[in-house]
Amino acid sequence: MKSQRFTKTLSACGAAATVALGSFAFATPASAATSAPEGPKNVILLIGDGMGYNHLDNMNAYENGEVYWQVDRGGDNKVKPWGGNSTPTEGFQAWDQVSMETAWYEQDPYDTQAAWGDFEQVKDNPTDSAAAGTAMATGHKTYNAGIGVDYNENVVENVSERAHELGKSAGVVSSVPFSHATPAAFSSHNTSRNDYEGIAAEQVNSEYMDVVMGAGHPYYNDDHQPTETGDFSYISEESFEQLRNGESDFTYIEENADFEALTTGDTPDQVFGIPQVGSTLQQNRTDDATLNDVVDLPTMTEGALNVLDNNDEGFFLMVEGGAIDWTGHANQTERNIEETIDFSNSIDSVVNWVEQNSSWDETLVIVTADHETGYLSGANYELDADGNQIPVEGSTDYVLGDWGPMEPTEAGSAPTQDWFSDNHTTMLVPYFVKGAGADTLLGYATGHDLVRGNYLSNVDMANWLLDDAWVANAAPTDPTTDPEPTADPEPSEPTQTEPTETDPAQTEPTQTSDAPTDPTSTDSSGDQGKGDAANGNQGSNDADGSLATTGADMFGPIAIAAGVLLLAGAAILVIRRRQQHDA
């Protein structure tokens, strides 16, 4: 499938070629094959949905009694890194690290002074997971609720489709429903994230996905208990029966033992897995003490890797710790730690796979988030009559607050902290990178934050892959061929995926502090309307892709000579054509 990006590129190339022929501006011999820069063989993107810096430190404090990413407003009234931070020395938090901005199409570009000048500012007009996922998957900023489409609802190519075009495999794995916003952005196209049935149908009948795994089983509830009637919130009955009856290209699995079996030995080439649980693997269960007896995210990740590496050409895999976001909406401190640890263990599974089955020379691994959720920060205080800070217990008005650090107490306990929102924020999120192409990707981090340092745009990774690292090699030109000149062809129309019709007025209800149970309420930005584009961030903030110079200056004399020869040949051809015509 061709997106508008590529239709326009082809048209532009045709126009550029016409100009080049007319001005004989060739810098490369015609017999040379032009090939794209060689990118990483495998790309593994792990997204902790809603996972900000403080979500990481919530886990760090619990696991080892340390924090790494805290900030504080000092006596000089400036925001700065907290002096009590430790330095991570192992694990993914010790990799090369920058940050990433998360703006959607109608959000003002990130402003470091504004973000750190007013504690409330980062609550203003945040992205939802659909727009954030689409930016990361396609390189296009879009409206909130848009899945794999640009702001004008045109289908745009995602990195999974590009992987397939290059002969690679592609997969998505999530701890929340497989048809939810983030996995959907990397595996489908739809004008509304709320059209779960339409998204699932596209995934089930996909021509480019090889692995799809996530929660959302219609015949099990959130406590891993079978139900008498099906709940088809995340997939239609027709699509589910198509999977279960073997009427798709996927091998369908749902039993724990089948997920475990995928982690070793031979595997099918395509797998669709739905664990026997409702909306989340664990987060939405009712029993705090007892975990659901279902497969965890690290095991699904290992199974997906063992399927995808059947392809010697490589693959793209997106793994989402989706329920981190759900704990943020619900302000669940302990379950936030639980979900972040599960996500961190999935990263360990990826690292083990790279070191045992691949190498860092051919595989790129990225760990990041699509946005922050819940505005987790240092403990909330108010001043008493004498000016002393008094902790505010159980505050739900989300009004008070300042940049105080989350201070660790002891391993096995959460740090001192509070939640200041039940929604997403616009703050920068962490971005950790290791492996093939890491230095090149980090070179796109041209933004600078006064606290976090350099940062990327959320469209940079996809644009780097689609425009530079994962472009198909051009076919060599045969120097013995002298084709008859023909008129420039009309540019072809892009093939569009028809989105399933949905109610454009459908919106998701505002999230409360309770754990999300309604499948349309877990990401409270919801299906937002599109306002005046002039008020927002126009364009896709695409990187320019100029990663290397061409050395064209070396070929100046050759270009002139080639141009003269080309011009002479064209003149001779015209004379011969006129003679033939006169005859």
Side-chain angles (χ1 to χ4, degrees):
M1 178 178 62
K2 297 291 184 184
S3 69
Q4 286 200 339
R5 170 206 295 268
F6 296 101
T7 301
K8 293 176 181 177
T9 301
L10 290 171
S11 299
C13 288
T18 303
V19 173
L21 283 169
S23 60
F24 53 87
F26 285 120
T28 307
S31 60
T34 56
S35 60
E38 185 176 349
K41 175 182 177 181
N42 311 305
V43 175
I44 305 171
L45 173 64
L46 298 109
I47 299 175
D49 196 312
M51 184 187 74
Y53 282 99
N54 289 342
H55 295 250
L56 285 175
D57 270 345
N58 199 30
M59 174 188 71
N60 293 331
Y62 179 86
E63 288 200 306
N64 54 40
E66 295 181 346
V67 291
Y68 307 137
W69 312 107
Q70 294 307 295
V71 297
D72 192 16
R73 186 187 291 277
D76 55 2
N77 207 35
K78 293 182 179 179
V79 179
K80 56 189 177 182
W82 184 50
N85 288 340
S86 301
T87 301
T89 57
E90 60 183 14
F92 72 92
Q93 293 180 79
W95 294 357
D96 291 336
Q97 179 263 331
V98 291
S99 297
M100 185 179 74
E101 63 82 21
T102 66
W104 64 296
Y105 190 93
E106 289 188 8
Q107 180 184 325
D108 290 336
Y110 179 78
D111 182 337
T112 181
Q113 295 291 341
W116 295 107
D118 177 1
F119 190 79
E120 294 290 303
Q121 194 272 340
V122 296
K123 298 180 182 180
D124 183 37
N125 196 27
T127 188
D128 78 337
S129 291
T134 295
M136 299 173 76
T138 71
H140 288 266
K141 288 183 181 288
T142 191
Y143 59 94
N144 279 343
I147 294 290
V149 295
D150 66 14
Y151 186 78
N152 295 312
E153 299 185 351
N154 299 308
V155 169
V156 286
E157 185 185 39
N158 62 49
V159 292
S160 299
E161 289 170 298
R162 177 59 62 84
H164 177 76
E165 182 179 340
L166 296 177
K168 300 176 184 290
S169 297
V172 292
V173 177
S174 180
S175 60
V176 300
F178 54 88
S179 56
H180 227 249
T182 305
F186 290 86
S187 60
S188 66
H189 306 273
N190 202 291
T191 56
S192 174
R193 57 171 293 169
N194 296 318
D195 180 18
Y196 295 113
E197 289 190 359
I199 291 168
E202 184 174 347
Q203 291 171 323
V204 170
N205 296 285
S206 177
E207 296 181 353
Y208 60 91
M209 297 304 299
D210 300 280
V211 172
V212 178
M213 294 182 187
H217 198 295
Y219 288 106
Y220 283 83
N221 64 20
D222 289 330
D223 291 323
H224 177 53
Q225 298 301 310
T227 59
E228 294 183 1
T229 58
D231 177 2
F232 294 96
S233 297
Y234 301 110
I235 186 172
S236 70
E237 186 171 6
E238 178 183 1
S239 293
F240 183 71
E241 292 303 321
Q242 185 181 352
L243 279 176
R244 191 161 62 173
N245 295 334
E247 297 170 357
S248 75
D249 292 335
F250 292 97
T251 297
Y252 172 70
I253 62 172
E254 62 178 58
E255 300 277 354
N256 288 358
D258 292 329
F259 284 99
E260 292 282 353
L262 283 183
T263 63
T264 58
D266 295 335
T267 66
D269 289 332
Q270 294 179 275
V271 175
F272 205 116
I274 311 177
Q276 294 173 337
V277 72
S279 60
T280 67
L281 298 180
Q282 299 293 344
Q283 181 271 339
N284 222 15
R285 69 186 190 275
T286 56
D287 190 339
D288 285 331
T290 305
L291 292 174
N292 288 329
D293 183 22
V294 296
V295 63
D296 58 14
L297 189 62
T299 301
M300 290 201 295
T301 301
E302 292 172 20
L305 289 167
N306 200 32
V307 173
L308 295 173
D309 69 8
N310 290 340
N311 188 342
D312 292 337
E313 297 300 317
F315 60 83
F316 173 83
L317 173 64
M318 191 286 298
V319 177
E320 183 200 23
I324 297 173
D325 172 75
W326 295 37
T327 65
H329 283 297
N331 293 173
Q332 296 172 316
T333 299
E334 288 74 20
R335 292 200 182 183
N336 177 262
I337 293 171
E338 182 180 284
E339 293 295 336
T340 310
I341 289 175
D342 190 53
F343 179 67
S344 178
N345 290 340
S346 301
I347 302 168
D348 292 340
S349 295
V350 168
V351 171
N352 290 338
W353 178 86
V354 172
E355 296 179 348
Q356 294 175 13
N357 300 281
S358 179
S359 74
W360 294 109
D361 292 330
E362 67 177 17
T363 298
L364 174 66
V365 180
I366 302 163
V367 179
T368 187
D370 52 350
H371 53 73
E372 192 273 350
T373 305
Y375 205 165
L376 184 60
S377 190
N380 201 354
Y381 291 96
E382 61 183 2
L383 298 179
D384 64 13
D386 297 322
N388 300 313
Q389 290 183 331
I390 306 298
V392 176
E393 300 292 341
S395 175
T396 58
D397 56 12
Y398 304 119
V399 173
L400 299 173
D402 206 339
W403 290 281
M406 294 168 56
E407 300 189 46
T409 52
E410 59 182 3
S413 297
T416 59
Q417 50 80 31
D418 269 306
W419 301 89
F420 291 89
S421 174
D422 58 2
N423 200 356
H424 303 171
T425 65
T426 66
M427 63 178 63
L428 297 178
V429 294
Y431 201 97
F432 306 94
V433 187
K434 185 173 181 177
D439 290 342
T440 302
L441 178 56
L442 291 171
Y444 283 89
T446 57
H448 188 77
D449 182 63
L450 63 87
V451 173
R452 301 297 184 190
N454 291 346
Y455 65 87
L456 292 156
S457 169
N458 59 1
V459 299
D460 283 339
M461 181 212 73
N463 283 330
W464 169 59
L465 286 178
L466 294 172
D467 293 344
D468 291 282
W470 273 10
V471 294
N473 290 340
T477 302
D478 186 349
T480 65
T481 304
D482 186 14
E484 292 290 332
T486 58
D488 290 339
E490 290 296 322
S492 58
E493 290 295 322
T495 301
Q496 298 273 336
T497 300
E498 289 295 330
T500 303
E501 292 186 3
T502 55
D503 181 2
Q506 182 181 9
T507 57
E508 296 186 0
T510 303
Q511 181 60 250
T512 66
S513 59
D514 294 329
T517 55
D518 185 334
T520 63
S521 66
T522 60
D523 195 348
S524 59
S525 296
D527 189 352
Q528 298 188 12
K530 296 175 288 185
D532 184 359
N535 296 328
N537 186 354
Q538 300 192 33
S540 64
N541 288 356
D542 291 359
D544 61 13
S546 55
L547 302 180
T549 58
T550 63
D553 292 342
M554 296 173 56
F555 299 99
I558 298 175
I560 294 172
V564 172
L565 290 173
L566 180 63
L567 196 60
I572 293 170
L573 182 60
V574 170
I575 293 170
R576 287 179 178 175
R577 284 287 183 91
R578 287 178 177 175
Q579 290 173 341
Q580 292 171 356
H581 180 270
D582 293 341

